Every structure is written in C-alpha cells, then in structure tokens.
Amino acid sequence: LPIKKSITEWWTVKLAPHVANDESRFFDNTATPNNSSIFSRTYNLDLQNNLFLGNYFSVVFGADLREQKGELTSSSLTKSINNQGYYLQNVFDYEDRITLTGGFRHDINSVFDEKTTYKVEGAYKFKDTGTRIHSAHSTGFRAPSINDLFWPGFGNPNLKPEQSKSWEVGIDQAFIKDKLHAGITYFDSKLDNLIQFDSAT
C-alpha cells in the first residue's frame, strides 16, 4: 500500500508498507506419513526520499525494515529474522549525454553480520550518432530466507549469505530517429556461497 507525498517541488517522500504470507505443505506418501507445513510471513516497511537538486543532480535515500517469521507445524520450531537496510544513491545526468551513478546500501541483520554493498556506473552518449557506451561495477548481498534455512528435510541452518561481485561494459546504438535500439553488453559475475537446491543431497 504505497503512499506518495510531495513535500516541496524538489522533494518527494514515498512510504511503502508490504505484507506477504506464504504457506508451504509437505506431503509424505509413505506407510507412516509425516505431513507438515511451514508458514512464513514477511513484513516490510520502506521509506524513500527523492530529491531533485537542479537540472543535473538527483538523490534517492531511505531505509527499509524487514521481518520474516516462520513456524513449522510438525515441531515447536518458530523463527524470526529481522533486517534493517539503509541506502543512498546519487545520479548526475547532463542533458542525457553524460550519466554518472553511485550508491550504496548497508544491511543490519539479526542473524548474520552487517554488510555494505555498492554500485557505480557511468554512460556517455554521442548525440550525433546515437551511440551510447556504458560500464558498471557492483557488489551484492542476499541473506537466506526462512525456507532456505529451515525447510523440513531440505533446509540448511548453516547457510551463509550469498555475496557477489560483478562488472559490465557495453555499447548501444539507436536507429531510425531513435525508434529502434540495439546493444551488446559483456558482463562478469562472481558469487560466493550461492544458495541453490541440490537434488543429490
């Protein structure tokens, strides 16, 4: 239920509360069935500020609070994970020719260590030819969910958060008076502690 309010001509505030409910059921079709369910609910509150500082600069900053609660019906297992996130992003856009972006995010998690991630990117557009070159470098962080950690028979409570580093460089070209665009991008990503399902184990 997002709520958006303009404080001034150059300052807009957006408040976005969000609730998600998930119920996963496990059916055991054996002689001695062990059916169970895991309920998880996520509460999220995001407060975002958008500042437009003149013709070339804009800033986005804010904070979000997230709480995940999980309950397993076949046992007394009840878990809760809280996360606080704080973010800031600056954008410099000079007449749609030069674009520079830099931002970071800091997460404080109740289960895992604090983590700061960032992204920087830049682009230059040749007005005469419609050619645009761009490049970016970023880091990422994703904590495992309640299901990742505690799903019956499959979850792993020893999981660590995913961490990633990536960079890219590319070129885009406009055709037919900017009505058609084509581009190519080379990117490289490295992930540590990737969370994925392993059918063998």
Side-chain angles (χ1 to χ4, degrees), residues 16-67:
H18 177 261
V19 178
N21 187 70
D22 178 83
E23 177 186 356
S24 300
R25 298 180 180 180
F26 177 73
F27 296 97
D28 184 2
N29 190 23
T30 61
T32 56
N34 182 26
N35 298 331
S36 62
S37 298
I38 185 169
F39 297 90
S40 61
R41 177 166 290 180
T42 303
Y43 303 91
N44 198 88
L45 181 63
D46 185 10
L47 177 63
Q48 179 178 303
N49 296 270
N50 299 287
L51 306 180
F52 302 95
L53 308 177
N55 296 325
Y56 306 129
F57 287 96
S58 63
V59 178
V60 177
F61 69 93
D64 63 65
L65 305 176
R66 179 185 178 95
E67 180 181 27

Side-chain angles (χ1 to χ4, degrees):
L1 185 64
I3 302 171
K4 193 174 183 180
K5 175 67 176 178
S6 295
I7 307 301
T8 66
E9 292 183 355
W10 50 271
W11 180 16
T12 302
V13 176
K14 182 180 179 182
L15 180 67
H18 177 261
V19 178
N21 187 70
D22 178 83
E23 177 186 356
S24 300
R25 298 180 180 180
F26 177 73
F27 296 97
D28 184 2
N29 190 23
T30 61
T32 56
N34 182 26
N35 298 331
S36 62
S37 298
I38 185 169
F39 297 90
S40 61
R41 177 166 290 180
T42 303
Y43 303 91
N44 198 88
L45 181 63
D46 185 10
L47 177 63
Q48 179 178 303
N49 296 270
N50 299 287
L51 306 180
F52 302 95
L53 308 177
N55 296 325
Y56 306 129
F57 287 96
S58 63
V59 178
V60 177
F61 69 93
D64 63 65
L65 305 176
R66 179 185 178 95
E67 180 181 27
Q68 297 181 76
K69 290 186 175 182
E71 178 182 355
L72 183 61
T73 58
S74 60
S75 70
S76 59
L77 177 66
T78 301
K79 293 292 182 179
S80 179
I81 301 176
N82 300 300
N83 193 87
Q84 303 173 39
Y86 305 92
Y87 55 88
L88 170 69
Q89 177 174 281
N90 298 281
V91 178
F92 171 75
D93 189 342
Y94 179 72
E95 297 181 351
D96 196 31
R97 181 185 294 269
I98 302 174
T99 305
L100 302 173
T101 304
F104 75 92
R105 176 184 173 93
H106 184 72
D107 285 281
I108 303 174
N109 193 282
S110 62
V111 178
F112 304 100
D113 293 335
E114 298 182 18
K115 187 67 178 179
T116 299
T117 53
Y118 66 87
K119 182 176 184 179
V120 291
E121 57 185 331
Y124 184 84
K125 185 175 183 179
F126 298 88
K127 289 284 189 177
D128 296 338
T129 62
T131 306
R132 178 178 176 270
I133 56 175
H134 59 88
S135 181
H137 176 75
S138 64
T139 60
F141 166 87
R142 185 178 79 86
S145 67
I146 292 283
N147 285 351
D148 293 332
L149 294 168
F150 306 112
W151 177 256
F154 299 97
N156 181 359
N158 298 316
L159 287 175
K160 297 179 180 180
E162 286 184 3
Q163 298 189 56
S164 64
K165 291 183 179 181
S166 62
W167 64 272
E168 65 178 49
V169 61
I171 184 171
D172 302 321
Q173 180 64 51
F175 303 95
I176 316 176
K177 297 181 179 180
D178 218 28
K179 294 180 180 179
L180 177 66
H181 289 257
I184 185 170
T185 299
Y186 177 87
F187 67 91
D188 182 79
S189 298
K190 179 182 179 182
L191 290 93
D192 292 324
N193 300 319
L194 175 66
I195 299 172
Q196 63 180 3
F197 182 77
D198 182 2
S199 59
T201 60

